[in-house]
């Protein structure tokens, strides 16, 4: 997951396809919109990708602790990312 703070763009790899879109954040709130992706079919990984996109669509807030980004739905961690430089 890559968040471009300058243009509020999001991009990344979801397990089979690369994706792109936009995000909005204010305080601890975050939401993703206009997500699109390449259209490759990966039979063994489509369930992972579907779960990933569902999680991105569900998140409402985020927190950062010790160089990790947590995307949350209420108190539940939906996705967790480590910072890569």
């Amino acid at each position: 997951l890559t968040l471009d703070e300058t243009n509020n763009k999001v991009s990344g790899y979801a397990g089979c396809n690369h994706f792109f879109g936009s995000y909005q954040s204010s305080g601890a709130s975050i939401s993703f919109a206009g997500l699109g992706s390449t259209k490759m079919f990966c039979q063994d990984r489509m369930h992972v990708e579907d779960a990933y996109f569902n999680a991105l669509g569900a998140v409402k807030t985020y927190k950062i602790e010790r160089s990790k980004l947590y995307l949350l739905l209420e108190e539940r961690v939906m996705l967790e990312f480590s910072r890569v430089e």
Side-chain angles (χ1 to χ4, degrees):
L1 180 78
T2 300
L3 300 173
D4 178 349
E5 295 179 51
T6 304
N7 300 310
N8 283 22
K9 299 291 182 188
V10 61
S11 61
Y13 179 69
C16 179
N17 289 286
H18 289 88
F19 69 94
F20 47 87
S22 62
Y23 77 95
Q24 293 294 319
S25 65
S26 177
S29 296
I30 191 166
S31 62
F32 299 91
L35 294 178
S37 70
T38 55
K39 300 293 182 189
M40 291 178 33
F41 177 74
C42 302
Q43 186 170 356
D44 297 352
R45 292 178 273 164
M46 292 310 292
H47 68 286
V48 173
E49 187 163 288
D50 290 342
Y52 184 86
F53 286 130
N54 287 336
L56 270 181
V59 299
K60 301 292 182 208
T61 59
Y62 73 94
K63 67 180 178 179
I64 299 172
E65 292 180 352
R66 296 188 201 119
S67 73
K68 287 194 177 193
L69 169 65
Y70 298 93
L71 298 179
L72 310 161
L73 175 60
E74 297 173 4
E75 297 297 316
R76 181 177 173 205
V77 175
M78 301 299 287
L79 297 163
E80 176 183 327
F81 300 92
S82 295
R83 184 178 182 122
V84 178
E85 307 251 354

